[in-house]
Amino acid sequence: MSDDESSMLHSSLIWDQDGHLSDIAQNAIVDAESALLPREAYEHAETCETCMRSIGQLAQVSLEIDDALKQLNASYLPQRAAESGMRRAVRLRHWPVAELGLALVIALLGQLPTLQGLSPAGIRHALKALVQVSLQVLQHVAATPLGAALPWIATGMLVAISGGIAYAAKRGLAHNLTSPLSSQPPRLR
Amino acid sequence: MAEGLDNAALVSYRPAVRALIAHVLGVGLSHADVEDCTSEALRRALEGHARLQPGAALRPWLLGIARHVALDARRARMRALRRDAGAEGEEDRVETALPNPHEQAVLTERTARVQQAFGLLPTAQRQALSLHAEGLGYREISAELNVPIGTVCTWIARGRQALARSLDESEASVTDTKLASSEANS
């Protein structure tokens, strides 16, 4: 029942060839998705016995589906979580990996002229200097109060990480015990 | 997910509420009971809206009220008919707001049918219906599943169609069984 036509469904999805509302439009009315439908669709629904009969049946079915899903929810939620995890994995797979790789190669090629003047001895010297500087920085930090606290900070981090791993493992175990992941439909009682 | 029950929402849901009531009563739209029950259902919804849990879906709650009001009206009508027919007293004892054991068995059977058929739906339809049952609107489902809104509409419509078909088949099989047993008895 919206006046904003840009947000509405295309008329071919709303009307059947016989002039009645399509099943998509009837479902949208059941779900009160009024922004998707023009005013005429609601006006038609209010007066057309044929469409209203279908909408009544759909509303009844939608309630039965809700009831059934409510009972199914406990066993379906883990499945949904798995599906959403799969969706995330698919999204990751859809990252432009090839394009990123190509960009890196082009960047490296751009740096090639600057690497031309370096000899193996020069590279060795640069690495040696880097190691020496790093050691000096570490020695300097160790002489400060922060350096004295570093072992404690490292110990604390290790304890926190191991605690996190133990908590995650416990949750995973509980999840597996209480809600077995199954894509099989539930059996008739 | 959380929906408010304001006038706009009431106007949007009114056709579905009215259609459901007419369906449950088994009468046409112009029947006086349909209008009465629709007004009663919407009145109850407005009054009880504060009791709706935050985040709970509005549609099943509102349609549930409509179904309840219509069932009450149908039972009252049946009681009146039986009273007129001279069976006064007996039905008043039997009729309650709760489903009787037979109705309960039928409901259980239908729920199991829906659950079984739901598991057989294509993943996309299952996801759309499940998210919708959780209270998400079509646009939210569209964003969640990263598909156009028209696709969501189609998935929900096709999914419901398939589940409705499974219910029809279950009714047909029950009828066939009854016919077969009555033929065998005769």
Side-chain angles (χ1 to χ4, degrees):
Chain A
M1 215 179 340
S2 172
D3 291 326
D4 180 12
E5 290 188 10
S6 61
S7 63
M8 287 179 203
L9 294 175
H10 190 266
S11 63
S12 62
L13 290 175
I14 298 174
W15 300 102
D16 271 346
Q17 287 178 341
D18 54 7
H20 288 295
L21 291 170
S22 68
D23 55 347
I24 288 175
Q26 289 173 359
N27 274 284
I29 286 176
V30 168
D31 298 327
E33 293 283 349
S34 50
L36 302 177
L37 301 173
R39 194 175 295 275
E40 298 80 50
Y42 269 82
E43 286 170 359
H44 177 89
E46 289 282 0
T47 52
C48 176
E49 284 279 350
T50 309
C51 288
M52 275 305 236
R53 207 173 301 126
S54 304
I55 291 168
Q57 284 170 351
L58 280 173
Q60 173 74 28
V61 169
S62 82
L63 277 178
E64 293 197 55
I65 293 171
D66 290 329
D67 292 343
L69 287 189
K70 215 178 284 172
Q71 292 182 18
L72 201 60
N73 213 16
S75 60
Y76 181 63
L77 274 180
Q79 185 183 341
R80 202 191 140 217
E83 283 170 353
S84 112
M86 278 171 61
R87 279 204 304 278
R88 272 197 297 275
V90 167
R91 277 182 207 148
L92 278 178
R93 269 209 306 275
H94 286 170
W95 273 34
V97 178
E99 289 81 354
L100 286 174
L102 184 66
L104 274 174
V105 169
I106 291 171
L108 279 174
L109 286 175
Q111 290 298 315
L112 272 183
T114 62
L115 296 174
Q116 260 182 347
L118 278 180
S119 63
I123 293 172
R124 267 202 307 275
H125 179 73
L127 286 174
K128 198 176 166 188
L130 181 68
V131 169
Q132 281 176 347
V133 167
S134 303
L135 284 174
Q136 279 183 355
V137 168
L138 277 176
Q139 282 167 359
H140 178 72
V141 170
T144 63
L146 177 68
L150 271 178
W152 293 103
I153 293 172
T155 306
M157 281 176 67
L158 275 174
V159 169
I161 291 169
S162 56
I165 291 171
Y167 178 71
K170 188 184 167 193
R171 279 195 64 174
L173 183 63
H175 175 81
N176 287 338
L177 285 175
T178 54
S179 49
L181 197 66
S182 167
S183 61
Q184 293 298 313
R187 299 184 70 81
L188 275 173
R189 280 166 291 178
Chain B
M1 192 189 287
E3 295 174 82
L5 188 63
D6 50 15
N7 277 339
L10 278 184
V11 170
S12 298
Y13 275 109
R14 190 183 158 81
V17 167
R18 196 162 158 247
L20 176 62
I21 287 171
H23 175 69
V24 173
L25 291 176
V27 297
L29 284 173
S30 53
H31 197 284
D33 285 354
V34 173
E35 211 50 52
D36 291 348
C37 288
T38 303
S39 302
E40 174 64 14
L42 295 179
R43 187 189 64 77
R44 284 191 198 181
L46 271 176
E47 285 180 3
H49 182 229
R51 290 194 296 273
L52 184 62
Q53 289 181 345
L58 180 59
R59 178 188 52 83
W61 178 75
L62 186 50
L63 291 182
I65 291 175
R67 178 171 61 178
H68 193 83
V69 168
L71 283 172
D72 279 350
R74 196 174 76 175
R75 289 187 178 119
R77 204 171 59 185
M78 286 170 69
R79 270 201 303 271
L81 284 172
R82 286 172 185 162
R83 204 175 294 130
D84 291 346
E88 193 171 352
E90 189 180 342
E91 283 70 22
D92 285 343
R93 260 200 331 270
V94 176
E95 292 278 357
T96 65
L98 296 169
N100 62 38
H102 173 69
E103 286 173 338
Q104 191 58 55
V106 171
L107 281 176
T108 306
E109 159 71 13
R110 286 172 71 87
T111 301
R113 280 268 167 190
V114 171
Q115 288 175 343
Q116 190 184 41
F118 182 77
L120 297 174
L121 287 178
T123 307
Q125 293 177 14
R126 214 168 54 219
Q127 281 179 334
L129 282 173
S130 177
L131 290 172
H132 191 255
E134 287 173 26
L136 268 65
Y138 286 14
R139 289 210 181 280
E140 292 165 305
I141 297 171
S142 163
E144 169 83 12
L145 300 181
N146 201 21
V147 293
I149 187 93
T151 308
V152 173
C153 294
T154 309
W155 284 347
I156 287 179
R158 297 290 168 269
R160 274 196 188 139
Q161 206 173 36
L163 297 181
R165 214 177 298 129
S166 76
L167 289 174
D168 289 345
E169 282 166 10
S170 106
E171 277 172 6
S173 67
V174 168
T175 313
D176 290 347
T177 312
K178 281 179 181 171
L179 281 174
S181 63
S182 64
E183 279 173 12
N185 289 336
S186 62

